[in-house]
Amino acid sequence: MRLFNLFYLFIMVLISHASFSQARSFRDFIIAASSPTNTKASETNFKTAGGKDRFETEEWAKGWALSRGSEVVKEGYAFNFDYERNELYLKKEDEDVMIVADNNSVRRFVIFNGTDSIRFVKSIAIDKTNKVFFQLMGGSTSGKIALLRLRTAKALPVNKNDYARNFNGDYSTQYRNENVYFFVDAEIGVKGFEKMTRDELLKLFPQHQAIIVKLVTSKKNIDEKTLAAFANEVNGL
């Protein structure tokens, strides 16, 4: 009986330690994000700060984030993502203050943009710092292959001689989007590209010729939807 009590106590200590570690990671996520020393923690109007050229949505959206300690941040928060700074923003529903999340404390997150679930993950195979968020377009990061997209928003120089902007008094910053795609494959490693044709895809993945021939009907550049379908098909999704 005494041995059983000691074993039970040992198990309880392990569980308490694990719970404390998770709670601490969750606490670090919130503290790092809402620290008063963070100069970016203030209210933002997404429409006038760049709109959908810079942010995932022009309004706060529902979503969830997974912390480093596997705690889910969801209830009571709204979300958005800044493609210029590669930062996750949150807002407590009962407060009018923006929170800038600490990238080190976030493992992955999802933003619900209308009917779409926009999934963001990290990839140490691409980014050795493990701080950059990529959009998971297709496949699985734990499966055979994943298709990731790195979207960036770059501010354009203001043309002070632009008649239309001078006439309308519109001097807000405008942005240009750039996309780079990555196949992260268990066999070939990482392949980055901006565009991909059917012949290039066949050369890259000859072992999946049957899937490629079935899905890709044109020799021109393959669109995102088809590339995502290919990655899903390889993974059996």
Side-chain angles (χ1 to χ4, degrees):
M1 187 69 178
R2 183 180 178 184
L3 181 63
F4 174 80
N5 289 337
L6 289 173
F7 178 74
Y8 177 78
L9 180 61
F10 176 72
I11 294 298
M12 289 298 99
V13 169
L14 287 179
I15 293 175
S16 298
H17 179 72
S19 299
F20 174 76
S21 297
Q22 287 190 348
R24 182 175 180 179
S25 293
F26 177 73
R27 184 198 67 187
D28 290 346
F29 173 89
I30 295 300
I31 289 178
S34 59
S35 169
T37 62
N38 189 339
T39 57
K40 292 174 287 187
S42 59
E43 187 180 3
T44 290
N45 186 329
F46 299 119
K47 290 183 179 179
T48 59
K52 297 191 74 172
D53 288 331
R54 177 179 171 184
F55 303 98
E56 178 57 41
T57 67
E58 291 186 343
E59 305 288 344
W60 289 103
K62 293 186 178 298
W64 57 263
L66 184 68
S67 77
R68 186 172 51 196
S70 298
E71 290 284 338
V72 177
V73 181
K74 179 179 179 181
E75 299 300 332
Y77 289 90
F79 298 80
N80 206 346
F81 186 68
D82 185 345
Y83 286 104
E84 181 184 31
R85 296 176 176 170
N86 199 261
E87 290 180 334
L88 172 64
Y89 297 155
L90 302 88
K91 184 176 78 74
K92 294 190 70 172
E93 293 181 352
D94 57 344
E95 297 180 10
D96 209 13
V97 176
M98 185 181 77
I99 299 170
V100 183
D102 178 7
N103 282 15
N104 291 318
S105 298
V106 184
R107 290 171 56 186
R108 59 175 62 220
F109 63 93
V110 171
I111 293 178
F112 300 113
N113 187 349
T115 58
D116 296 327
S117 298
I118 314 300
R119 301 171 292 170
F120 293 87
V121 298
K122 292 178 177 178
S123 175
I124 200 166
I126 306 172
D127 168 43
K128 300 304 180 184
T129 68
N130 206 32
K131 292 183 178 181
V132 176
F133 290 110
F134 302 85
Q135 185 180 343
L136 179 60
M137 306 294 292
S140 170
T141 54
S142 60
K144 297 178 181 178
I145 185 174
L147 174 64
L148 306 181
R149 181 179 74 173
L150 178 62
R151 173 183 162 187
T152 56
K154 295 186 177 182
L156 298 174
V158 176
N159 180 6
K160 297 181 179 180
N161 296 320
D162 188 322
Y163 174 79
R165 297 190 72 172
N166 289 331
F167 181 80
N168 295 319
D170 178 14
Y171 302 108
S172 59
T173 303
Q174 295 181 335
Y175 289 84
R176 179 184 72 249
N177 289 160
E178 296 179 357
N179 293 314
V180 178
Y181 301 88
F182 299 90
F183 276 123
V184 181
D185 183 82
E187 296 180 10
I188 70 170
V190 177
K191 171 63 177 178
F193 60 96
E194 295 182 7
K195 297 178 181 179
M196 179 76 67
T197 65
R198 185 177 68 170
D199 289 345
E200 290 171 337
L201 192 62
L202 284 167
K203 184 177 180 180
L204 190 62
F205 298 106
Q207 69 274 33
H208 301 307
Q209 179 178 353
I211 296 176
I212 296 171
V213 170
K214 181 180 72 172
L215 293 176
V216 185
T217 58
S218 173
K219 291 187 177 182
K220 297 180 180 180
N221 292 326
I222 309 172
D223 58 41
E224 288 181 352
K225 185 177 180 180
T226 304
L227 288 171
F230 164 72
N232 289 334
E233 186 91 1
V234 172
N235 283 279
L237 301 176

